[in-house]
């Protein structure tokens, strides 16, 4: 399984498709991608839209893993379980991206022109 961590579910509801974000195009047989987001970053409406977008694209909404905010003493250990941190393009992860790097998780970011898209 490939676990992709993402800081902000709100920015996932705009732009290119969810299948592209989960890396399902060209996916090797037997691999399985999951998008992991903290509940703190999601309103109930955003979570419904994300799951709906997944269904619209033929993806199992169960591939969206939403977890509660974790206690400080274990949050880096838990983040270390991700295989890759996929940063959001419209507003970068800032401290969350730094936490991923501290946890040893590779960070992928598509920097934009504005400062808030280049923080990571």
């Amino acid at each position: 399984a490939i676990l992709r961590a993402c800081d902000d579910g709100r920015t996932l509801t705009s732009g290119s498709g969810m299948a592209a974000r989960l890396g399902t195009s060209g996916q090797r047989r037997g691999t399985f991608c999951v998008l992991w987001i903290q509940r703190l970053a999601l309103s109930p409406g955003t979570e419904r839209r994300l799951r709906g977008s997944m269904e619209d694209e033929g993806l199992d909404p169960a591939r969206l893993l939403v977890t509660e905010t974790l206690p400080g003493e274990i949050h880096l250990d838990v983040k270390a379980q991700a295989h890759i941190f996929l940063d959001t393009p419209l507003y970068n992860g800032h401290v969350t991206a730094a936490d991923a790097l501290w946890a040893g998780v590779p960070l992928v970011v598509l920097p934009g022109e504005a400062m808030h898209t280049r923080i990571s």
Side-chain angles (χ1 to χ4, degrees), residues 1 24 31 36 40 57 61 75 86 113 115:
T24 56
T31 60
W36 177 19
L40 176 66
E57 295 185 38
H75 87 277
L86 179 63
E113 294 295 321
M115 182 63 174

Side-chain angles (χ1 to χ4, degrees), residues 16-93:
S16 63
M18 185 65 66
R21 288 194 175 91
L22 284 174
T24 56
S25 57
Q27 186 171 324
R28 290 182 298 195
R29 186 181 215 180
T31 60
F32 184 76
C33 294
V34 174
L35 184 63
W36 177 19
I37 302 175
Q38 276 189 335
R39 183 158 315 279
L40 176 66
L42 292 179
S43 70
T46 301
E47 183 174 348
R48 280 192 303 276
R49 283 191 301 279
L50 279 172
R51 292 189 190 279
S53 293
M54 294 175 80
E55 285 181 345
D56 291 347
E57 295 185 38
L59 300 171
D60 182 359
R63 292 173 66 179
L64 176 63
L65 174 63
V66 180
T67 57
E68 302 302 325
T69 302
L70 303 167
E73 59 274 3
I74 66 165
H75 87 277
L76 288 180
D77 293 335
V78 173
K79 284 183 179 177
Q81 302 307 306
H83 295 95
I84 191 167
F85 185 94
L86 179 63
D87 206 354
T88 54
L90 299 177
Y91 194 82
N92 290 164

